[in-house]
Amino acid sequence: MEFLLSIRPVLAIAVSLAAAALILWLHQRPNLRDAISVAAAVLKFLIVISLAPLVLAGGTLELSLFEILPGVDFAFRADALGMVFATVSSLLWIFAALYSIGYMRSLNEHAQTRFFAAFAVSLSAAVGGAFAANLFTLVIFYEVLSLVTYPLVYHKEDEESWAGSRRYVVYLIGASKSFLLAALALTYQLAGSLDFMPRGLLAASGAEGWLLSVVYLCYLAGFAKAAVMPFHAWLPAAMVAPTPVSALLHAVAVVKMGVFCMLRVIFHVMGVELMGSLGLGIATAYLVSFTIVMASIYALTRDDLKARLAYSTVSQLSYIILGAVLLTPMAAIGGITHIAAHAFSKITLFFCAGSIYCASHRRKISDLAGIGRRLPWTMAAFFIGSLSMIGIPPSGGFVSKWYLVLGSAGGQEVVFLVVLLFSALLNAAYFLPVTYTAFFEPEKPGAPGLVAMQEVRESPMVAVPLMITAALSLALGLNPGFFVSLAQLVMRGAGL
């Protein structure tokens, strides 16, 4: 593996930090402020994607800024796993920025400058985590992301928003202050370092198995953004945020940071061999399988569209972890590829929910009868995103779930194969009725406070980004080579 010194990972992080400062400075010039958001998003993606050729060739770009403790640096590294997360988050920020402008202006939302500034810093934290070279740097950006998304969650500043944001902070900050700090301290004590290693930092520590298991469980509980039950309640509570924030939380930055951190722990802190020998892989697989099924059942019972999407996210995130802990090459490739597949489709679904709300103020699925004829592009995009979540070709979700199925079958893990197939049926049961209701049920008189159906119109500024992200979901299904190649590099380094 070729290691090169490069400042580009740091530049990718700095772009949106600089954009946040400019956004605050230009608070009295909204057109220029919003243009800065889009321009910074494009520049960030170009910097990130410029790293791809070297990483795909098996290289790694590194930069250490300063030493904190012996063996602990504040350092950055662009490798295959980091490129998956960084590419997804930086690419989708472009469309999230465009969508947010249309959404916030359509509803004449207050505090738009604070919103866009916090949004930009959130993406800096996400890419900072993606390019972190060690656990110390990763946790710093993990915590920054929790703090900077807090004002986004309470953006509406009503009683419901304050309650939801408090639960959000208690779960994420509380888990990290207790479990995560303990895990970091134990890892440093056992290994004398916090650097990520290809075969696992703790693999050669010589520690007792029970102690290593405790360390792993502390990481699993501490990285609560992964939303594994019972550490999931913050995620539905955060639905009080505006829809662009929900898209950020559920598709791009926050939840993906959680599962990305767990993949780092599984592959580069514990290591595949250690996970297998201690039985941690199979134990985690049962836990996330329970999460997949139960969250899908919760989603099936929710009439509020964003709440249904929130529980869907809880379920879909555990697919990613399941792919990793099955400890087979095919399943791991499926889990890593699902980071992108879920991101493209879930951001589309949340964009659609926002488009529906902007046009009609409708939130409940039971109020959407006939709305597909008024919002045809929005509901067509919702249907495409649903296909990906279910795993129907040619969507991106089919590719990742196909690898997961192959990995389960190849590892002779029939239980998890059944879980994957049963959860696909549950996904169809809670997604397809939304499209059916929108297109095939007759229009109903709107309840008080809702826009009359004959007055519902699509906003191009909102509809165009969601159509593009729906197209990206299909494009990933037709040509998944980029993310599959990165996943294969991760597997090669991990020894699978």
Side-chain angles (χ1 to χ4, degrees), residues 194-479:
L194 295 177
D195 289 343
F196 298 128
M197 303 299 291
R199 300 298 176 93
L201 174 63
L202 294 174
S205 66
E208 294 288 337
W210 68 267
L211 181 56
L212 293 171
S213 298
V214 168
V215 173
Y216 174 76
L217 292 175
C218 284
Y219 281 121
L220 186 62
F223 287 127
K225 288 187 179 74
V228 176
M229 289 183 173
F231 302 102
H232 71 288
W234 66 270
L235 201 153
M239 286 299 93
V240 297
T243 302
V245 177
S246 299
L248 172 76
L249 295 176
H250 291 256
V252 183
V254 177
V255 295
K256 290 301 186 302
M257 176 70 97
V259 292
F260 173 78
C261 290
M262 281 310 303
L263 294 188
R264 281 294 194 200
V265 169
I266 292 165
F267 293 133
H268 301 140
V269 176
M270 302 298 295
V272 171
E273 291 184 8
L274 188 60
M275 290 286 295
S277 64
L278 295 177
L280 295 173
I282 195 72
T284 309
Y286 277 107
L287 177 61
V288 296
S289 294
F290 174 80
T291 302
I292 288 170
V293 174
M294 286 306 301
S296 296
I297 292 172
Y298 276 117
L300 193 59
T301 64
R302 296 305 186 266
D303 188 38
D304 184 281
L305 181 56
K306 285 179 67 177
R308 184 170 292 194
L309 295 178
Y311 279 106
S312 168
T313 297
V314 175
S315 175
Q316 296 286 332
L317 291 175
S318 284
Y319 281 100
I320 299 171
I321 299 177
L322 177 62
V325 297
L326 286 177
L327 306 179
T328 66
M330 286 294 186
I333 290 171
I336 293 171
T337 306
H338 200 62
I339 293 176
H342 175 260
F344 293 156
S345 51
K346 187 52 66 71
I347 200 171
T348 301
L349 295 172
F350 272 106
F351 281 176
C352 291
S355 177
I356 293 167
Y357 182 74
C358 282
S360 68
H361 287 184
R362 283 167 167 76
R363 295 179 178 176
K364 293 185 177 181
I365 298 166
S366 56
D367 290 330
L368 301 184
I371 203 170
R373 293 184 286 276
R374 306 287 178 176
L375 304 174
W377 292 108
T378 295
M379 296 314 302
F382 189 95
F383 179 62
I384 292 171
S386 299
L387 294 181
S388 183
M389 289 290 88
I390 298 166
I392 297 175
S395 64
F398 168 75
V399 175
S400 56
K401 292 188 178 184
W402 180 250
Y403 275 107
L404 287 170
V405 167
L406 291 178
S408 300
Q412 298 181 341
E413 299 292 353
V414 179
V415 172
F416 307 117
L417 181 60
V418 171
V419 167
L420 291 169
L421 298 177
F422 180 56
S423 65
L425 294 175
L426 290 174
N427 291 339
Y430 65 74
F431 274 126
L432 295 183
V434 179
T435 302
Y436 179 84
T437 299
F439 280 111
F440 299 108
E441 289 190 4
E443 294 180 4
K444 298 177 183 177
L450 301 181
V451 177
M453 193 65 78
Q454 61 268 24
E455 298 177 9
V456 172
R457 299 288 185 275
E458 276 178 321
S459 167
M461 194 69 177
V462 172
V464 170
L466 62 87
M467 291 161 57
I468 295 173
T469 55
L472 285 174
S473 181
L474 290 177
L476 178 62
L478 294 171
N479 186 13

Side-chain angles (χ1 to χ4, degrees), residues 70-72 187-194 201:
V72 181
T187 301
Y188 185 70
Q189 178 65 30
L190 294 173
S193 171
L194 295 177
L201 174 63

